[in-house]
Amino acid sequence: MAKHAAVVWWVPFQKRWLLALLVMLSLSTVVAVFIKAAFDSCDRYVEVERKVVSSGGASPIKSPPSPLSFMKSKIVLLVSHELSLTGGPLLLMELAFLLRSVGAEVCWVTVQKPARIDEVIYNLEQKMLVRGVQVIPAKGKEAVDTALKADMVVLNTAVAGKWLDSVLKENVPPVLPKVLWWIHEMRGHYFKLDYVKHLPVVAGAMIDSHITARYWKNRTQERLRIKMPKTYVVHLGNSKELMEVAEDSVAKRVLREHIRESLGVRDEDILFAIINSVSRGKGQDLFLRAFYESLHLIQAKKLQVPSMHAVIVGSDVSAQTKFETELRNYVVQKKIQDRVHFVNKTLTVAPYLAATDVLVQNSQARGECFGRITIEAMAFQLPVLGTAAGGTTEIVVNGTTGLLHPVGKEGVTPLAQNIVKLATHVERRLTMGKRGYERVKQVFLEHHMAHRIAAVLKDVLRKSKSHPRPQ
């Protein structure tokens, strides 16, 4: 996702007494529980049969069957270019758990792995193994044999395409007709023939937004002189776990109070959050400029507004990148250290959504392929200030669920003006948040995504039937 979007975890509150217990616990204990559950975020699309008993003692009610039930006993090989806490790999893991939940045999390979042991990779692999996903080496006979016997092979991201020739070699032709290519990238440097030369002959490509799909179609034809295969657009959806906490006022209040206390932000203050990995493409620098400009607009117009704060979630102090140094120096230079807060990258973004008043999605250039954090924020009834680019335009209804602004330097002043608009009009802010939540309920839920993916997998299976797997 790209770094697609940030990932939300939550341990669902199944019983009301647990909420009371949560409130009674010290806030430090609550946070410890959250951190311990962080790696459970990859379970967000697991289909769990839930039993709901009515207050009158009625019989348990089973969840409707999964739309992916036809994948039972099918063999699926998932190929990820890397295994990390970024959007693409985590999305593929969610697909792995969805398929495992209906009885599919799922194998996973990671193309790029560091030579030394990596704690994140180890934990994510253990997570998959516990759920019954077979983790196998990306190279060697086992990977080749699995690809040949699989009913379907899913390549995750354009970069994963290099695995075909480097590993399968002469076995590439029989595998291609059953390949589904899941593409999340929007950046031009991914359009390399070495990566995507087999695109025209795979069973299909799955892309997260219509805008990205059109971009890939045009760029592959213009730059590489190849055609895209049949392309499916699949918008993502929020998990049941996320929706449970987003709809639970007690849970949100506990989270809001703790995060705001840790940041030094009062309950009445207005908090604008940008939740993405810190990089120039995500636009944190332009957001800070807009935030600083908005403070001056408020001062110049002598507007009565509660204290405003900005939080950047996705920082990485250990990396000490030039870009992050620029961000921190800018904050010091403008003397807004008391209003801007940096939070290290984390899976535990649910508390920050609960603590936030407005989400800023400021991805630059062509924007996000989809931007999952956007629908997650909308589930928390947050209005979104987003760039008018990429998948954000397919999520945010401008003027209804949020406000859009141009990318680049031209977008700084419009974003600043939009910050002021939402800071000074509480009712507008709340109304946009409610409408965003309603939009999520209509089109961006787990079952919506499951149905969309199911339609794609059925079509891919039909296409691959004429290519029987070797015994």
Side-chain angles (χ1 to χ4, degrees), residues 1 24 38 40 43 68 92 98 102 111 124 140 182 192-193 208 242 280 344 350-351 358 388 393:
M1 26 263 215
M24 293 170 61
D40 291 341
D43 292 343
L68 288 162
L92 194 65
L98 263 178
V102 296
V111 178
L124 291 178
W182 199 357
K192 295 181 179 178
L193 204 57
D208 304 333
L242 171 71
R280 204 170 298 279
N344 212 34
V358 179
T393 61

Side-chain angles (χ1 to χ4, degrees), residues 22 28 47 121 125 152 161-162 184 229 266 273 285 298 343 378 386 393 397 408 415 429 431 437 454:
L22 177 61
S28 60
E47 186 67 26
I121 293 176
E125 286 186 345
M152 186 181 302
K162 294 188 71 174
H184 313 286
R266 300 171 302 175
D285 54 340
I298 289 171
V343 176
M378 289 162 64
T393 61
V397 180
L415 174 56
R429 192 167 72 234
T431 299
Y437 167 76

Side-chain angles (χ1 to χ4, degrees), residues 162-357:
K162 294 188 71 174
W163 176 84
L164 293 169
D165 289 315
S166 63
V167 175
L168 298 186
K169 298 178 181 177
E170 69 273 8
N171 293 301
V172 169
V175 172
L176 291 178
K178 53 187 178 182
V179 167
L180 173 64
W181 212 318
W182 199 357
I183 294 172
H184 313 286
E185 295 94 337
M186 282 283 279
R187 305 291 181 263
H189 60 269
Y190 291 108
F191 291 89
K192 295 181 179 178
L193 204 57
D194 284 349
Y195 293 160
V196 298
K197 66 181 180 181
H198 294 298
L199 258 177
V201 292
V202 300
M206 187 164 68
I207 298 181
D208 304 333
S209 65
H210 294 281
I211 287 178
T212 308
R214 289 194 295 270
Y215 176 67
W216 270 85
K217 178 181 178 181
N218 294 334
R219 293 279 288 192
T220 49
Q221 288 180 344
E222 294 170 3
R223 285 191 57 179
L224 304 179
R225 306 300 180 191
I226 62 175
K227 290 184 178 181
M228 289 288 289
K230 182 172 181 179
T231 302
Y232 311 85
V233 174
V234 174
H235 285 156
L236 309 180
N238 285 329
S239 69
K240 295 175 183 177
E241 289 77 14
L242 171 71
M243 296 307 297
E244 285 175 2
V245 65
E247 294 171 341
D248 197 308
S249 59
V250 176
K252 287 197 296 183
R253 185 167 67 250
V254 172
L255 295 172
R256 180 182 177 90
E257 290 174 356
H258 171 69
I259 293 300
R260 284 182 168 244
E261 181 182 352
S262 68
L263 296 175
V265 178
R266 300 171 302 175
D267 186 61
E268 63 269 25
D269 294 344
I270 305 174
L271 184 61
F272 294 81
I274 183 167
I275 305 176
N276 281 116
S277 55
V278 171
S279 66
R280 204 170 298 279
K282 302 300 182 181
Q284 287 91 352
D285 54 340
L286 300 179
F287 165 58
L288 286 178
R289 287 173 56 182
F291 181 73
Y292 179 72
E293 187 174 321
S294 72
L295 297 176
H296 276 269
L297 287 173
I298 289 171
Q299 184 179 22
K301 295 181 179 181
K302 298 181 179 179
L303 300 174
Q304 297 300 312
V305 179
S307 181
M308 298 198 322
H309 292 257
V311 59
I312 296 176
V313 181
S315 178
D316 189 352
V317 179
S318 61
Q320 295 182 335
T321 64
K322 179 181 177 182
F323 180 68
E324 178 147 348
T325 301
E326 289 176 9
L327 297 181
R328 294 176 182 268
N329 288 343
Y330 178 84
V331 170
V332 173
Q333 177 191 348
K334 297 302 182 181
K335 299 179 180 179
I336 51 177
Q337 301 98 310
D338 59 331
R339 292 178 178 269
V340 178
H341 314 273
F342 291 88
V343 176
N344 212 34
K345 58 185 179 181
T346 176
L347 280 175
T348 57
V349 299
Y352 295 97
L353 290 174
T356 296
D357 296 299

Side-chain angles (χ1 to χ4, degrees), residues 39 82-85 110 112-126 345:
F39 281 102
E82 66 177 13
L83 187 52
S84 64
L85 300 180
T110 303
Q112 301 172 4
K113 292 178 69 173
R116 59 185 179 82
I117 297 177
D118 181 279
E119 184 178 356
V120 170
I121 293 176
Y122 174 80
N123 280 299
L124 291 178
E125 286 186 345
Q126 290 303 308
K345 58 185 179 181

